[in-house]
Structures are given as C-alpha cells and as structure tokens.
Amino acid sequence: MILAIIENAFLSLIGSAIPASAVVMLAATGAMLGERVGVLNLGQEGLIGIGAVYSVIAVLSWGVESPWLAMLIGMIAAAVAGLIFAVCVVAFRASQVLVGLALALGGIGLSNQLGVNRNGTPIQTLFREVNPGGVLDNNDAVSAFFFHDPVVYIAYVGLPVVLYFVLFRTRHGMNMKAVGENPAAADAVGVSVTGWRIFYSVLGAALTGAGGAYMVLSFTPTWSPDIARGRGWVALAVVIFAGWRPGWAVAGALLYGSMISLDTTAQARGWGLPFMGASDLSFFLSMLPYVVTLVAILIPAGAVKLGRRVRSTAAPAALAIPYSREER
Amino acid sequence: MTGESTRSSVEARGVSKAFGGVAALDAVDFEVRWSEVHALVGENGAGKTTLCNILAGIYRADAGQVIVDGAERDFRSPAHAIDAGIGMVHQHFRLVEPMTVAENIHLGWPETPGVVSQRALNERTEQFMVEMGLRVDPTAKIWQLSVGEQQRVEILRVLARGARVLILDEPTAVLTAKEAEELFAVVRDLAAGGLSVIFITHKLREVLAVSDRLTVLRHGIREITRPTEGATASEIARLMTGEERVLNVEHRVVTGDPALELRGVSALNDRGITALHDVDLTVRSGEILGIAGVSGNGQTELAEVICALRGLESGAITVDGADITSMSVRAVTDIGVGHIPEDRIGMGMVLSAPVKDNAVLHSYWTEQFSQGLNLNRQSVIDFAKKLVETARVQTRSVFATAGQLSGGNQQRLVARREALAADRLLVAAHPTRGLDVNAAQEVRSTILDKRDSGCAVLLISDDLDEVLLMSDRIAVIYEGRIMGVFEAAEADREHIGLLMGGHSITEAVA
C-alpha cells in the first residue's frame, strides 16, 4: 500500500518533470549553441517571453491552428531579438553581459506588454501527446516516461543527439569549437568568426524562443505575465552544470524539472507538512529548484578547483570576449 | 645559394598602413622570389609584422598593391590569402590548445571531410607529415607540446593547405638553440623545393645563416633590399638602427648627504618568502646607483619598498632624512620620489584612459591641475601636450588612449612623467627593457639629465652593460643581499659577474 503510494507519486513526478523541464532543455540548448562559439546571451529569460507571447498572439489573434506554425512564429520573433543582440555584441563588440541583461529585462517587459489583453485566455491549439498505441501498454509507468508530445522527444533526444554529432563528429563542429576557444586561431585559418557568432546566436535565440512557445502551447497552456519565471536563468546554469556538453544538459534540465514538479505535485496533493517552523512546505519547495541549481553549478566549479583543470568541462576560453582582428 | 629563379612570388608596391594615426608602414616596396629565403629585418616597431600581416590578409593596407604571382590581389581575410597560396606562422601561435594536433591541422580547411572521426583525422595527418618530412604526434593535445613542436604544427597546417609562400614571424624568438637549428634546415629544404619563405627576425646571425636575400625596414620605411651574400652584420645593424647617438657618460664621485638611505631593510616577496635580507644602501643627490643582478634576486621588491608599495619586515628607509617607512604611496610621491616601474603596462599606466590622463596620473590632485574637486582640464591638456612633445611620444593626440600607443611610446611617456615627478629620487626599474636602440638612448638621456640636475637615481637593470654604462656607483644584489658596492672607476666586469652569480667578495677577488 505504502509502496504503491510512493510509486504513484514518483511516476506522477516523472510524468510532469519531463515536460516541465523541456522549456529549460530547449533554452539551455539555445544558450549552449551561442556559448560554444563564444557568445554569452544572458537574455534567455526575455527570449522565452518573446517566443511565448508571439505564439499566443499567433493562436489567439492571427487564428493559427497548427501548434507547429505557432511555435515557428514564436521562434522567428525570438530569432529577430537574437539578431539584434548578436549585431550589438558581435559586430559592434558591445559588452555581452550588459546587452544580455538588457535583452532579459526588455524581453520580459515587451512580452508582458504584448500579452496584457490575453492574460489567462486558454489556448486550444496544443501539442498532443504521442501514443505509440499497441507497442506499449498504457499503464502509469510507461505513460510517465514515454507518453509525451513530440516537442519533448525533440528536446530530449533529437536536439542533444544532433548537437552531439555536429560538435564532436563533424568538421563544422570542430570549427565551431575553435571559434569559441580561440577566435584568432579560427580567423587565421579562414573561419569567419563574426559570421559564425551571429549565426549561432540567432539560431540559439530561436531555440530558446521555441522553449517559450512550448510553455504556452503545451505546458501552461495560457499566457500569464512573467511567463518564464526564472527558467531562462536556470537554463544558463544548466549549461554550466553540463560543462557545455549536450548530453549532460538533459540531466541538468531533468534535475531542475523534478524540483519544479516536486513543488507542484506537493501542492496538488496537499503535502502541507510543517517544516522548520513554517506552517507548510510550499515556500521551501518553490525555492528548491533554484537552490538545487545553485548547488549543481558549484559541483563542476568545485571539481575544477579541487582537481587539476578539468579541460573537457571548462568553459570555451573566449566566452563573452569580443573579437577584433586588427586590435593591437 | 639556391635561387636560380628570379621570378617574384609575392610583391608589395607602395604599401602604407597606419594605426591610431601613426604610420606603421610608409609606401613600402617589398619583393620576394620563388625558391628563396627572404629575411625581413628591423627593430621592434619597424613594421615587419605589419607588412606580413597585410600580405597574409590579416590587415588591409591603407594604400598600395599586393601582387601575387603577377596578379594584383585584394585580400579581405586570411582565407583569401591562403587561397592565393600565402600562409603565415605568427609569433604568437594561432592554435586551439584543448584540441589535438590533427584537429588543429584540419581546422577551417575545406578539404577536411564533412563528417570526421578522430581516427580519420589522425591518419590524414600522418600522411601529410610523411609527405612534408615533418613530424609531431597527431593525437597529442596542443598544450602538451613543446613550443618547437607547436611551431611545427603551424608550419604543417600552412603547408597542408598548399601554401607556396610561407611567412614566419620571429620564428626563433621562442625556440631553443637546437630547435632553431632544426628550423633553419626545414626552411632551407622548403626553399630548395621551390617555395618562398619570408623570415622575419631582428637577429643578425640568423639573417646571415638562413637567407638568400634580405630587406631592412626602419620606422616603416624600406632601407634596402640586397642579396645576403657579401652583407656583414655591422652593415645590417647600421641600417636597422640608423645613425646611433652615442651616449657619453661621465661618471662622478659625489659626496654629501644621502638622498636615499636604507638601513637593515628586510622584506617578503608575494609568496611570503624573504626577498630582501638586511639591505643597507645609500644614494646621494646627483649620482646614479646601479643595482646589478640576475632577475629575481630581490630587485622588484627593492623598488617596491622604496616606493611604499611593499611593507617592511624590519629596517628603515629615509629620503632626505625623512622616514618614509610608514608613509603612503601618495605621500612618498609628494616628497619627490618618481618610479619608472618594471611592469609599465600594469603599474605605470591605465591603458583604457587617454594619454592626457595618464600624463597626470600621480599629480592630478596637485594645485597645478585641480582646485578642490574640480580638475582643470585645460592645464592637464597643456601639460600632457608638453610632455608628449618633450618625450617624443608618437601619438595621434593626447586624447588617444594609452593602449593605442606602441610599447616604446608608452615607455617614453612613463619615463618622462616619472622623471618630472622626481625632485629628490628617481627609481628606474629596467627602464629600457624591450626598447629599440634609439628609444633606449632617449630614456637613458632622460635619466642622466635627471642626475645632472641633482636628483638621486636608483637604476635597476638586469642588463649589466647598461648598469656599467650609466652608474656612478654599482651595488650587486644576489638572493636579496647586497654583495658589494663599487665606484664606477673601480668596477670590474668579471668581478661583478662573479658576485651576481653568488660568489662572495673574497672569492671574487681571489
């Protein structure tokens, strides 16, 4: 009996953690793309908002009926924001930190403004869960792990596999890493540092925008102000936790997602146990994802400090450093 | 030597280039032939690297033409130059440290297969190495290699891409003597195989050893291009440096009250180890006391304790009788102590600030430049302009940032500023390090003028020639101890050399 309750709770945790962290996963992949070529975009939070609000507008105001098309519109909007960011920091060599923060705050403000009349309007155009039908039994365990919408599969399997392949098995990936590690070296052998940095900043922004779109087209599914609620920042932390490796980002995102789900599951089930003098656990649980994120980033940082420099998990050496060929 | 072909491979015609308004190259003509090693010779800042960066597509010329194999080319990026068969190996290697040799050779190369495995890359690399007759372990990470091996990777990478003109920028600067010999052999082989090699250097021995022809640049202007055969080292040296101003230094014996006095001074270095042991020194007004010693024997700490940048463990320091032991840096500056620091860029100036602000970096609070909280901008600008003029600092204007100045000009600026600030004592740490001959002479003249005007000078240098040339008295430092002090007249080079190496006076005299 107890076992069944625990199992039940665990499965429902997993079942909700996976989609809950898909947003983080998409944003982390987007951030990682930029960072691999040396561009740190702190504006993830704003890009999620922009991706989300334009998907909402597409559905509610433009009558878009396909969730894919709505997501694409959200991605394009985020990509435009990403392009503005990239032009500022790559072409004009503005501080990536400052422009990134401006994008985070500006993106949140812009999306809240655009979404102001659409608060709480339910969205009907949703991604549907994939049900493999006869192949698997429709029991709780299977559905918790495997019955999700296609975006989840893309975020957790498709993107990491593709990105891993590109980064570690292709000429293109080798050049990408060189741009992030030593742009002068890449430039000297004819790789266009500016071009690649802009391209991957924009592509990364589009992926983060897809994360925002996914929130409103499946997860929430409605617009509410400040929709990202810190997921953009968490995505940046997940990239560090993952040591800029796509596979590890899955682990990082799921860790974060489980904490979010723990919070919502606990609230739904009324696990209002007294804790540390507080009348219930909910504030502690709401805080937990961020505490765990903080601890998770300290692990690789600590490993670098304790052991000899762990090269495979170190940040790209030229991260956040603008490149100029004629500098003396 | 070789060079039966006289057809030119690459040519620069009337090429000019300026940085921050200062000309680095002024209408330079430069021509290299197939099958030759062409030495490009000049002092620091002569424009050698700038010229080659233009040939390699890294910089674009402000004026002039680049002609490759008879056709005019306009390189917009290094990729264009590589396509035209021109490859450059930079003084600071352009390698990606966490990657392997094989990966670095295949970086940014269109012939690298789109989908690659480490094994395939290693095999391809092995194959090139056999073809080129140069070897490095393809699976090694760059950071694991010696500097000579890294250079070989750079050369292999350039050759693998089909470079027919190879530019080597100061290739021996980082090599051991043995590695340099190996490099010379490689370079000769490549030229014998029909390639052009441009060999940038300021070492005359190398020019004579390796090149078929040579071109001398000075201050961005071509002095001469000639066959190496028949050239002498002294002739090339004269062309490189121009007519030298020979410094005539009259050594003096000064008596009188000491301007600077150290009594029993001991101090720790940054790692907490005793760097100065019980040092006693005296410098009188109007004399230069030179500190001779091998780098790292406490010279840095000595300069720092005198300028109040480092605390004492014991002992006392007085300037004109005033105890400065517990004074702040500003107080010490205010009583007339100037300091030309060893680390000019880190300690001597603020690179991102304009020249005018750097000119008043430690006098801006004086009445000359400020009233209360207000800075008198005009007086700062006037002062900076005068300083720039008298120190012969080449800059577009006093509003340009210090970072835009070349190293020599930065040094001139700091040296003159500190000399002006020094009423009683000037501490000059390695004041001419990294300067070419003429700039060094100017800085030395500045210091000598200071002495003649009655200022006390403490000169720290690891160049014994400089110490012997400039000093009225010489103190030798070894492991933080003063091994002996001599009048210039009685200073014996060999004797001082022995003391610098840690022998005691009795051993040295015996």
Side-chain angles (χ1 to χ4, degrees):
Chain A
M1 182 58 198
I2 294 282
L3 216 65
I5 290 176
I6 292 173
E7 187 193 332
N8 196 335
F10 175 72
L11 289 177
S12 98
L13 200 65
I14 294 291
S16 61
I18 291 177
S21 15
V23 183
V24 171
M25 188 61 210
L26 285 165
T29 310
M32 191 186 292
L33 269 183
E35 292 184 27
R36 273 290 186 175
V37 291
V39 181
L40 174 67
N41 188 342
L42 293 180
Q44 304 297 321
E45 191 82 358
L47 291 170
I48 291 176
I50 291 171
V53 82
Y54 273 95
S55 298
V56 169
I57 291 171
V59 171
L60 296 181
S61 304
W62 302 345
V64 170
E65 285 175 6
S66 151
W68 293 108
L69 185 57
M71 180 179 263
L72 183 66
I73 290 166
M75 288 173 73
I76 291 171
V80 170
L83 180 63
I84 295 168
F85 169 82
V87 168
C88 290
V89 303
V90 180
F92 299 123
R93 300 196 294 275
S95 156
Q96 296 184 8
V97 170
L98 290 183
V99 181
L101 288 174
L103 177 59
L105 299 174
I108 293 167
L110 175 71
S111 53
N112 286 350
Q113 179 62 39
L114 292 171
V116 78
N117 293 323
R118 301 174 173 94
N119 283 348
T121 311
I123 289 171
Q124 312 291 350
T125 315
L126 299 178
F127 287 107
R128 273 193 298 275
E129 289 171 9
V130 178
N131 188 333
V135 185
L136 296 167
D137 284 338
N138 192 358
N139 65 36
D140 283 352
V142 171
S143 74
F145 281 100
F146 296 109
F147 290 7
H148 295 289
D149 54 56
V151 179
V152 166
Y153 293 100
I154 293 173
Y156 286 106
V157 185
L159 278 177
V161 168
V162 169
L163 189 53
Y164 175 85
F165 181 79
V166 169
L167 274 178
F168 300 106
R169 289 284 177 272
T170 68
R171 174 181 80 204
H172 189 82
M174 211 166 74
N175 292 344
M176 245 178 107
K177 285 183 285 181
V179 171
E181 289 289 345
N182 186 346
D187 193 19
V189 293
V191 177
S192 163
V193 174
T194 306
W196 285 48
R197 284 190 161 182
I198 290 179
F199 176 78
Y200 279 106
S201 305
V202 172
L203 189 63
L207 277 178
T208 304
Y214 179 73
M215 285 205 80
V216 293
L217 294 172
S218 171
F219 186 63
T220 42
T222 177
W223 171 260
S224 60
D226 300 336
I227 190 120
R229 301 250 160 75
R231 285 176 176 79
W233 302 112
V234 171
L236 289 164
V238 164
V239 176
I240 299 171
F241 167 80
W244 290 265
R245 292 164 299 180
W248 280 87
V250 176
L254 280 176
L255 179 66
Y256 165 79
S258 326
M259 295 303 124
I260 289 268
S261 303
L262 196 60
D263 183 24
T264 49
T265 309
Q267 282 180 27
R269 291 176 179 235
W271 293 349
L273 305 171
F275 180 78
M276 288 167 65
S279 58
D280 69 84
L281 266 171
S282 63
F283 292 110
F284 175 74
L285 288 172
S286 303
M287 185 179 80
L288 201 55
Y290 308 100
V291 175
V292 170
T293 304
L294 195 63
V295 172
I297 319 186
L298 292 176
I299 294 169
V304 170
K305 194 156 189 194
L306 287 178
R308 64 230 170 286
R309 194 167 121 88
V310 185
R311 276 177 186 265
S312 62
T313 63
L319 184 61
I321 301 169
Y323 175 66
S324 159
R325 186 185 289 163
E326 297 215 358
E327 210 154 79
R328 304 228 289 183
Chain B
M1 300 193 183
T2 50
E4 59 278 359
S5 165
T6 52
R7 211 158 52 82
S8 71
S9 55
V10 59
E11 201 180 338
R13 281 192 201 149
V15 165
S16 299
K17 177 82 186 172
F19 291 101
V22 177
L25 288 177
D26 188 6
V28 167
D29 294 321
F30 178 57
E31 182 241 348
V32 183
R33 296 172 187 160
W34 293 116
S35 303
E36 78 167 353
V37 179
H38 195 122
L40 187 55
V41 198
E43 298 196 296
N44 299 331
K48 309 178 298 263
T49 302
T50 305
L51 176 58
C52 286
N53 276 336
I54 289 170
L55 296 180
I58 292 176
Y59 297 159
R60 293 185 74 178
D62 297 339
Q65 300 163 291
V66 173
I67 293 149
V68 181
D69 225 359
E72 183 177 348
R73 304 296 292 259
D74 178 24
F75 299 139
R76 277 181 299 274
S77 80
H80 287 97
I82 293 167
D83 287 345
I86 299 177
M88 180 158 175
V89 174
H90 297 270
Q91 191 175 0
H92 305 287
F93 300 148
R94 307 279 169 98
L95 297 170
V96 183
E97 293 226 320
M99 292 190 178
T100 67
V101 169
E103 283 176 317
N104 269 281
I105 286 179
H106 285 86
L107 265 186
W109 190 18
E111 281 176 39
T112 307
V115 176
V116 293
S117 67
Q118 289 292 336
R119 187 192 296 169
L121 288 183
N122 293 342
E123 281 169 8
R124 286 172 57 93
T125 309
E126 283 283 358
Q127 209 181 322
F128 292 132
M129 290 185 179
V130 172
E131 282 168 29
M132 314 287 174
L134 280 169
R135 228 206 100 75
V136 194
D137 175 9
T139 63
K141 299 260 166 73
I142 296 302
W143 58 271
Q144 299 169 322
L145 300 180
S146 74
V147 177
E149 287 173 315
Q150 292 186 13
Q151 186 175 61
R152 230 173 295 156
V153 176
E154 285 266 13
I155 293 175
L156 270 165
R157 177 161 81 181
V158 170
L159 294 177
R161 265 151 246 239
R164 308 274 295 135
V165 178
L166 182 65
I167 303 170
L168 302 175
D169 187 3
E170 304 260 359
T172 57
V174 290
L175 299 183
T176 63
K178 182 167 169 291
E179 283 173 330
E181 290 301 326
E182 286 168 13
L183 175 71
F184 293 161
V186 169
V187 162
R188 297 256 30 115
D189 280 352
L190 292 173
L195 271 57
S196 293
V197 181
I198 302 174
F199 197 101
I200 302 179
T201 185
H202 59 250
K203 296 179 189 164
L204 304 177
R205 198 183 60 79
E206 292 174 359
V207 176
L208 299 175
V210 81
S211 69
D212 299 307
R213 290 199 305 154
L214 64 91
T215 293
V216 178
L217 287 183
R218 186 159 71 91
H219 297 325
I221 293 166
R222 188 187 69 165
E223 290 289 316
I224 195 176
T225 296
R226 59 157 295 167
T228 307
E229 219 172 335
T232 65
S234 60
E235 180 192 346
I236 304 171
R238 210 164 40 245
L239 288 166
M240 270 169 66
T241 56
E243 291 306 314
E244 271 181 42
R245 287 201 293 145
V246 179
L247 214 52
N248 248 329
V249 183
E250 213 175 284
H251 298 298
R252 331 163 144 182
V253 179
V254 181
T255 53
D257 289 339
L260 169 73
E261 196 163 21
L262 281 76
R263 283 189 306 271
V265 168
S266 296
L268 304 179
N269 66 13
D270 288 339
R271 285 170 300 160
I273 299 163
T274 306
L276 293 175
H277 293 274
D278 202 16
V279 168
D280 293 309
L281 274 179
T282 304
V283 189
R284 296 192 174 82
S285 299
E287 75 165 353
I288 296 178
L289 176 71
I291 304 289
V294 178
S295 279
N297 274 295
Q299 293 97 321
T300 306
E301 289 78 9
L302 180 63
E304 287 176 356
V305 294
I306 295 168
C307 300
L309 291 163
R310 181 176 294 273
L312 299 185
E313 287 297 293
S314 60
I317 302 174
T318 56
V319 172
D320 278 352
D323 188 351
I324 64 161
T325 314
S326 54
M327 279 192 189
S328 69
V329 177
R330 180 179 287 196
V332 171
T333 308
D334 277 344
I335 62 170
V337 177
H339 179 206
I340 303 175
E342 188 179 339
D343 175 11
R344 251 123 350 221
I345 291 170
M347 274 171 71
M349 41 183 31
V350 181
L351 290 186
S352 57
V355 168
K356 71 175 174 64
D357 293 350
N358 274 291
V360 296
L361 208 53
H362 66 182
S363 52
Y364 65 87
W365 62 80
T366 59
E367 271 173 29
Q368 189 184 354
F369 302 118
S370 58
Q371 291 86 42
L373 289 175
N374 284 324
L375 200 61
N376 186 340
R377 285 175 50 84
Q378 197 53 50
S379 68
V380 170
I381 292 167
D382 292 343
F383 175 78
K385 280 185 174 156
K386 222 175 83 197
L387 187 72
V388 160
E389 201 185 301
T390 51
R392 299 214 279 153
V393 174
Q394 291 171 348
T395 176
R396 183 161 38 90
S397 86
V398 295
F399 298 99
T401 65
Q404 288 172 324
L405 302 181
S406 72
N409 283 314
Q410 291 174 347
Q411 208 151 330
R412 284 195 189 100
L413 181 69
V414 174
R416 181 61 63 125
R417 181 189 75 201
E418 296 300 323
L420 281 179
D423 289 334
R424 303 182 186 204
L425 172 67
L426 177 65
V427 178
H430 310 284
T432 61
R433 187 188 272 173
L435 291 184
D436 63 40
V437 178
N438 279 322
Q441 299 295 48
E442 282 172 30
V443 169
R444 284 177 191 150
S445 310
T446 304
I447 294 172
L448 288 169
D449 290 348
K450 214 53 216 175
R451 173 196 74 172
D452 295 343
S453 71
C455 181
V457 178
L458 182 76
L459 170 73
I460 297 173
S461 175
D462 47 15
D463 177 355
L464 184 55
D465 291 325
E466 178 167 82
V467 173
L468 291 173
L469 172 75
M470 301 274 291
S471 311
D472 302 308
R473 287 189 305 134
I474 296 155
V476 184
I477 193 167
Y478 175 75
E479 289 193 343
R481 291 190 170 83
I482 299 298
M483 307 295 284
V485 183
F486 309 93
E487 299 289 338
E490 68 188 28
D492 173 67
R493 189 185 187 83
E494 196 186 328
H495 184 174
I496 288 176
L498 284 169
L499 293 177
M500 282 167 61
H503 296 272
S504 68
I505 279 211
T506 44
E507 285 176 291
V509 174

